[in-house]
């Protein structure tokens, strides 16, 4: 993988989202030419912030895709040497039709992207999975840290109707199966709760979780939290595993493995003026804390931004954009 090579054209699916925008920004900073995909080219909320990025005028092309429309994906991937597949619906609550809203776009969309990448002669695909493909895993040994070898319990998700973790788990498994059967070079990043300065005009589910906390919400997200991570670090992790030829397998991407109770307490400590209700510290049953949860990425040189800074950057961004006062 050539670093900072102007002739390298890469595709970022889901380029307009909170993580996608950061990734596009850092790739442009590194002189890559980027094909970024959006759902609707006529929606300024998806395109304006991308076109405003430095280098976008000469090295960014926007493509409208539908994850279930192979031809639209192939057009975006064509001519690229690398693909970052981020696009996947993230609906954590109120899912009316899980198959249509989450499972089909996540699983079939991933297969469509990988099929297009293979057909286009792409060298490496980085797939954005999630800690939601690692936990909830209630049968994992209580004395063992949950790392890349741990997988979310599919049956548990079905029983509890946890459609988002189910979609991320099945999509990642489908990616590994495809890679094995078709000889495509795939690496995976599994980010935790991703926050920080927001580039698009809309918020991701993780930032909405922080907004709810600042509004006094006492939910503890026991099936959805494993630690926090800065937008910039997630974007850097994607680039690291793309550019490092020896990178392989899954990469847990969290600043540290922690409980939502740790995060909630830090928010309350940093912002006493919000008078936030106290929560228990142990909110994720059976989750062992670990400072080096992202060890694979640390060994590649990624220095994670600590939780305190993640929270401060996030709250500052929420205030500046008028989401909180």
């Amino acid at each position: 993988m050539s670093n900072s090579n102007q002739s390298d054209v890469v595709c970022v699916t889901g380029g307009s989202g909170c993580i996608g925008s950061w990734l596009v920004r850092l790739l442009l900073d590194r002189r890559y030419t980027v094909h970024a995909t959006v759902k609707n080219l006529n929606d300024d909320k998806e395109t304006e912030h991308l076109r405003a990025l430095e280098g976008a005028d000469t090295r960014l092309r926007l493509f409208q895709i539908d994850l279930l429309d192979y031809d639209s994906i192939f057009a975006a991937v064509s001519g690229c040497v690398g693909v970052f597949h981020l696009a996947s619906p993230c609906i954590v609550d109120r899912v009316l039709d899980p198959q249509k809203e989450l499972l089909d776009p996540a699983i079939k969309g991933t297969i469509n992207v990988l099929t297009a990448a293979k057909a286009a002669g792409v060298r490496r695909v980085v797939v954005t999975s999630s800690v939601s493909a690692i936990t909830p895993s209630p049968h994992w040994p209580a004395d063992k840290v949950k790392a890349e070898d741990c997988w979310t319990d599919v049956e548990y998700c079905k029983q509890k109707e946890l459609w988002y973790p189910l979609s991320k788990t099945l999509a990642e498994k489908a990616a590994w199966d495809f890679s094995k059967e078709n000889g495509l070079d795939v690496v995976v990043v599994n980010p935790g709760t991703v926050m920080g300065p927001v580039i698009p005009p809309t918020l991701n589910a993780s930032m909405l979780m922080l907004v709810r906390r600042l509004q006094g919400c006492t939910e503890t997200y026991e099936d959805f939290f494993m630690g926090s991570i800065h937008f910039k670090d997630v974007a850097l992790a994607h680039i690291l595993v793309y550019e490092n030829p020896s990178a392989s397998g899954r990469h847990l991407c969290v600043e540290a493995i922690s409980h939502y109770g740790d995060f909630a307490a830090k928010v309350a400590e940093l912002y006493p003026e919000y008078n936030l209700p106290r929560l228990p510290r142990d909110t994720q049953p059976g989750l062992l804390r670990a400072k080096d949860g992202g060890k694979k990425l640390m060994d590649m040189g990624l220095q994670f931004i600590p939780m305190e800074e993640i929270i401060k950057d996030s709250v500052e961004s929420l205030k500046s954009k008028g989401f909180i006062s």
Side-chain angles (χ1 to χ4, degrees):
M1 310 290 149
S2 49
N3 187 3
S4 308
N5 187 342
Q6 270 179 290
S7 64
D8 267 8
V9 184
V10 294
C11 175
V12 177
T13 71
S16 61
C18 282
I19 301 173
S21 301
W22 264 96
L23 180 55
V24 170
R25 176 178 165 178
L26 295 190
L27 287 166
L28 290 172
D29 286 350
R30 281 164 172 71
R31 313 294 302 166
Y32 283 93
T33 294
V34 182
H35 290 187
T37 79
V38 299
K39 281 186 193 163
N40 182 359
L41 279 172
N42 298 316
D43 183 352
D44 288 346
K45 283 185 178 170
E46 277 206 88
T47 60
E48 263 186 8
H49 62 281
L50 291 175
R51 292 200 169 110
L53 294 172
E54 204 171 315
D57 49 344
T58 53
R59 285 181 289 106
L60 177 67
R61 282 186 66 193
L62 299 182
F63 291 80
Q64 181 172 308
I65 69 160
D66 175 336
L67 286 169
L68 300 180
D69 174 13
Y70 173 82
D71 291 341
S72 70
I73 295 168
F74 184 76
V77 167
S78 199
C80 294
V81 292
V83 171
F84 299 87
H85 177 44
L86 283 71
S88 192
C90 179
I91 313 160
V92 177
D93 38 27
R94 287 196 307 283
V95 180
L96 301 175
D97 184 343
Q99 196 67 43
K100 190 177 167 197
E101 291 175 60
L102 277 168
L103 298 169
D104 282 351
I107 302 159
K108 291 179 181 171
T110 296
I111 295 302
N112 279 341
V113 169
L114 295 179
T115 305
K118 174 83 176 162
V122 164
R123 284 203 304 252
R124 171 169 280 186
V125 181
V126 179
V127 172
T128 313
S129 185
S130 168
V131 296
S132 286
I134 292 174
T135 184
S137 32
H139 305 299
W140 189 250
D143 58 349
K144 197 175 172 196
V145 171
K146 291 184 179 181
E148 285 85 359
D149 53 347
C150 180
W151 280 88
T152 285
D153 186 322
V154 166
E155 291 312 312
Y156 176 84
C157 289
K158 287 176 181 170
Q159 282 161 18
K160 291 197 74 179
E161 299 189 348
L162 299 170
W163 305 119
Y164 176 68
L166 184 66
S167 77
K168 294 306 286 185
T169 306
L170 295 179
E172 191 191 330
K173 284 183 184 253
W176 287 123
D177 289 345
F178 184 96
S179 166
K180 210 186 304 181
E181 287 159 19
N182 297 278
L184 183 66
D185 183 4
V186 170
V187 279
V188 168
V189 178
N190 300 76
T193 299
V194 194
M195 292 174 287
V198 178
I199 298 174
T202 48
L203 298 179
N204 64 336
S206 300
M207 289 294 279
L208 287 169
M209 187 192 80
L210 176 58
V211 172
R212 285 180 192 156
R213 172 63 183 151
L214 291 164
Q215 290 167 345
C217 171
T218 55
E219 200 176 331
T220 52
Y221 305 98
E222 53 265 26
D223 289 316
F224 290 99
F225 194 87
M226 199 176 163
S228 53
I229 181 75
H230 198 286
F231 285 125
K232 186 179 184 181
D233 284 346
V234 173
L236 283 172
H238 280 74
I239 294 169
L240 264 177
V241 301
Y242 172 69
E243 289 182 347
N244 189 328
S246 64
S248 67
R250 316 171 88 195
H251 298 78
L252 176 55
C253 189
V254 287
E255 169 270 333
I257 296 175
S258 57
H259 284 237
Y260 180 72
D262 304 324
F263 175 81
K266 184 57 80 175
V267 175
E269 176 199 316
L270 291 171
Y271 297 97
E273 64 271 28
Y274 285 90
N275 293 318
L276 298 177
R278 288 179 66 131
L279 295 179
R281 276 314 268 266
D282 295 337
T283 46
Q284 275 55 43
L287 181 67
L288 289 181
R289 293 171 174 86
K291 282 192 164 55
D292 62 347
K295 189 177 179 330
K296 271 181 88 170
L297 290 165
M298 289 173 178
D299 289 347
M300 273 185 224
L302 187 58
Q303 294 178 310
F304 287 104
I305 294 165
M307 186 201 286
E308 185 164 320
E309 270 182 67
I310 296 170
I311 294 168
K312 284 179 179 172
D313 282 358
S314 303
V315 172
E316 214 168 282
S317 182
L318 289 170
K319 283 181 174 173
S320 74
K321 289 185 175 267
F323 288 107
I324 56 170
S325 51

Short mmCIF file of all heavy atoms in Angstrom, two decimals, residues 1 25 35 46 76 80 89 99 133 136 173 178 198 239 250 256 278 283 303 305:
data_model
loop_
_atom_site.label_atom_id
_atom_site.label_comp_id
_atom_site.label_asym_id
_atom_site.label_seq_id
_atom_site.Cartn_x
_atom_site.Cartn_y
_atom_site.Cartn_z
N MET A 1 0.85 -1.18 0.00
CA MET A 1 0.00 0.00 0.00
C MET A 1 0.90 1.24 0.00
O MET A 1 1.70 1.41 0.91
CB MET A 1 -0.87 0.04 1.26
CG MET A 1 -1.60 -1.25 1.54
SD MET A 1 -2.90 -1.63 0.39
CE MET A 1 -2.85 -3.40 0.41
N ARG A 25 -11.80 13.46 4.90
CA ARG A 25 -10.93 14.60 5.22
C ARG A 25 -9.46 14.18 5.38
O ARG A 25 -8.55 14.79 4.80
CB ARG A 25 -11.43 15.26 6.50
CG ARG A 25 -10.56 16.40 7.01
CD ARG A 25 -11.22 16.97 8.26
NE ARG A 25 -10.35 17.82 9.02
CZ ARG A 25 -10.73 18.45 10.13
NH1 ARG A 25 -11.96 18.31 10.58
NH2 ARG A 25 -9.90 19.21 10.78
N HIS A 35 -13.33 8.78 -4.01
CA HIS A 35 -14.70 8.62 -4.49
C HIS A 35 -15.56 8.42 -3.23
O HIS A 35 -15.45 7.37 -2.59
CB HIS A 35 -14.85 7.39 -5.38
CG HIS A 35 -14.19 7.51 -6.72
ND1 HIS A 35 -14.32 6.55 -7.70
CD2 HIS A 35 -13.38 8.47 -7.24
CE1 HIS A 35 -13.64 6.92 -8.78
NE2 HIS A 35 -13.05 8.08 -8.52
N GLU A 46 -25.93 16.28 2.81
CA GLU A 46 -25.00 15.18 2.57
C GLU A 46 -23.75 15.61 1.82
O GLU A 46 -22.70 14.98 1.93
CB GLU A 46 -25.69 14.09 1.74
CG GLU A 46 -26.54 13.14 2.55
CD GLU A 46 -26.66 11.80 1.84
OE1 GLU A 46 -25.79 10.94 2.06
OE2 GLU A 46 -27.59 11.64 1.04
N ALA A 76 -19.08 3.63 -8.45
CA ALA A 76 -18.29 4.37 -7.47
C ALA A 76 -16.93 3.73 -7.21
O ALA A 76 -15.93 4.41 -6.97
CB ALA A 76 -19.07 4.48 -6.16
N CYS A 80 -10.75 2.38 -8.60
CA CYS A 80 -10.15 2.54 -7.27
C CYS A 80 -9.21 1.38 -6.95
O CYS A 80 -9.43 0.25 -7.38
CB CYS A 80 -11.24 2.61 -6.19
SG CYS A 80 -12.28 4.07 -6.30
N PRO A 89 -26.87 1.10 7.72
CA PRO A 89 -27.82 1.85 8.55
C PRO A 89 -27.57 1.65 10.04
O PRO A 89 -27.21 0.55 10.46
CB PRO A 89 -29.19 1.28 8.13
CG PRO A 89 -28.89 -0.02 7.48
CD PRO A 89 -27.52 0.07 6.91
N GLN A 99 -35.65 -6.47 8.80
CA GLN A 99 -35.07 -7.03 7.58
C GLN A 99 -34.80 -5.93 6.55
O GLN A 99 -33.72 -5.82 5.99
CB GLN A 99 -36.02 -8.08 6.99
CG GLN A 99 -35.37 -9.00 5.96
CD GLN A 99 -34.30 -9.92 6.56
OE1 GLN A 99 -34.49 -10.48 7.62
NE2 GLN A 99 -33.17 -10.05 5.88
N ALA A 133 -20.38 -6.13 16.97
CA ALA A 133 -20.14 -7.48 16.45
C ALA A 133 -19.27 -8.28 17.43
O ALA A 133 -18.93 -9.43 17.18
CB ALA A 133 -19.49 -7.43 15.08
N PRO A 136 -23.19 -7.64 22.40
CA PRO A 136 -23.39 -8.54 23.53
C PRO A 136 -22.95 -9.99 23.27
O PRO A 136 -23.31 -10.55 22.24
CB PRO A 136 -24.89 -8.47 23.79
CG PRO A 136 -25.50 -8.05 22.49
CD PRO A 136 -24.47 -7.18 21.84
N LYS A 173 -19.58 -11.15 9.36
CA LYS A 173 -19.37 -12.58 9.06
C LYS A 173 -19.46 -12.82 7.55
O LYS A 173 -18.68 -13.59 6.97
CB LYS A 173 -20.39 -13.44 9.80
CG LYS A 173 -20.05 -13.59 11.30
CD LYS A 173 -21.03 -14.51 12.02
CE LYS A 173 -20.74 -14.56 13.50
NZ LYS A 173 -20.15 -15.79 13.99
N PHE A 178 -16.96 -14.02 2.31
CA PHE A 178 -16.70 -13.59 0.93
C PHE A 178 -15.19 -13.53 0.66
O PHE A 178 -14.70 -13.99 -0.36
CB PHE A 178 -17.33 -12.22 0.67
CG PHE A 178 -17.20 -11.75 -0.76
CD1 PHE A 178 -18.23 -11.95 -1.66
CD2 PHE A 178 -16.03 -11.13 -1.21
CE1 PHE A 178 -18.11 -11.54 -2.98
CE2 PHE A 178 -15.90 -10.73 -2.53
CZ PHE A 178 -16.94 -10.93 -3.42
N VAL A 198 -18.00 17.18 15.14
CA VAL A 198 -18.87 16.70 14.06
C VAL A 198 -18.68 17.55 12.80
O VAL A 198 -18.78 18.78 12.87
CB VAL A 198 -20.35 16.73 14.51
CG1 VAL A 198 -21.26 16.27 13.39
CG2 VAL A 198 -20.54 15.84 15.73
N ILE A 239 -7.11 4.15 7.94
CA ILE A 239 -5.98 4.42 7.06
C ILE A 239 -4.79 3.53 7.43
O ILE A 239 -4.11 2.98 6.55
CB ILE A 239 -5.60 5.92 7.10
CG1 ILE A 239 -6.75 6.75 6.50
CG2 ILE A 239 -4.31 6.18 6.33
CD1 ILE A 239 -6.63 8.25 6.71
N ARG A 250 -9.47 -8.58 12.47
CA ARG A 250 -10.30 -7.55 13.09
C ARG A 250 -9.42 -6.63 13.94
O ARG A 250 -8.38 -7.06 14.44
CB ARG A 250 -11.36 -8.19 14.00
CG ARG A 250 -12.06 -9.38 13.41
CD ARG A 250 -12.93 -10.08 14.46
NE ARG A 250 -14.28 -9.53 14.51
CZ ARG A 250 -15.14 -9.73 15.49
NH1 ARG A 250 -14.78 -10.46 16.54
NH2 ARG A 250 -16.35 -9.21 15.47
N ALA A 256 -10.23 2.66 25.39
CA ALA A 256 -10.06 1.66 26.44
C ALA A 256 -11.37 0.91 26.54
O ALA A 256 -12.43 1.46 26.22
CB ALA A 256 -9.73 2.31 27.79
N ARG A 278 -26.68 10.47 39.00
CA ARG A 278 -25.60 9.47 39.11
C ARG A 278 -26.09 8.14 38.57
O ARG A 278 -27.24 7.78 38.74
CB ARG A 278 -25.18 9.32 40.57
CG ARG A 278 -24.39 10.51 41.10
CD ARG A 278 -24.04 10.30 42.55
NE ARG A 278 -23.12 9.17 42.67
CZ ARG A 278 -21.99 9.23 43.37
NH1 ARG A 278 -21.67 10.33 44.02
NH2 ARG A 278 -21.19 8.19 43.45
N THR A 283 -22.12 -0.99 34.42
CA THR A 283 -23.37 -0.98 33.64
C THR A 283 -23.39 -2.07 32.57
O THR A 283 -24.45 -2.36 32.01
CB THR A 283 -23.56 0.39 32.98
OG1 THR A 283 -22.31 0.79 32.37
CG2 THR A 283 -23.97 1.45 33.99
N GLN A 303 -1.97 6.31 18.68
CA GLN A 303 -2.02 6.79 20.06
C GLN A 303 -3.43 7.34 20.30
O GLN A 303 -3.78 8.40 19.79
CB GLN A 303 -0.97 7.87 20.28
CG GLN A 303 0.45 7.34 20.17
CD GLN A 303 1.50 8.43 20.33
OE1 GLN A 303 1.43 9.48 19.69
NE2 GLN A 303 2.47 8.19 21.20
N ILE A 305 -6.71 9.08 21.64
CA ILE A 305 -7.11 10.27 22.38
C ILE A 305 -7.90 9.80 23.61
O ILE A 305 -8.81 8.98 23.47
CB ILE A 305 -7.98 11.19 21.49
CG1 ILE A 305 -7.14 11.75 20.34
CG2 ILE A 305 -8.60 12.34 22.30
CD1 ILE A 305 -7.93 12.36 19.21
#
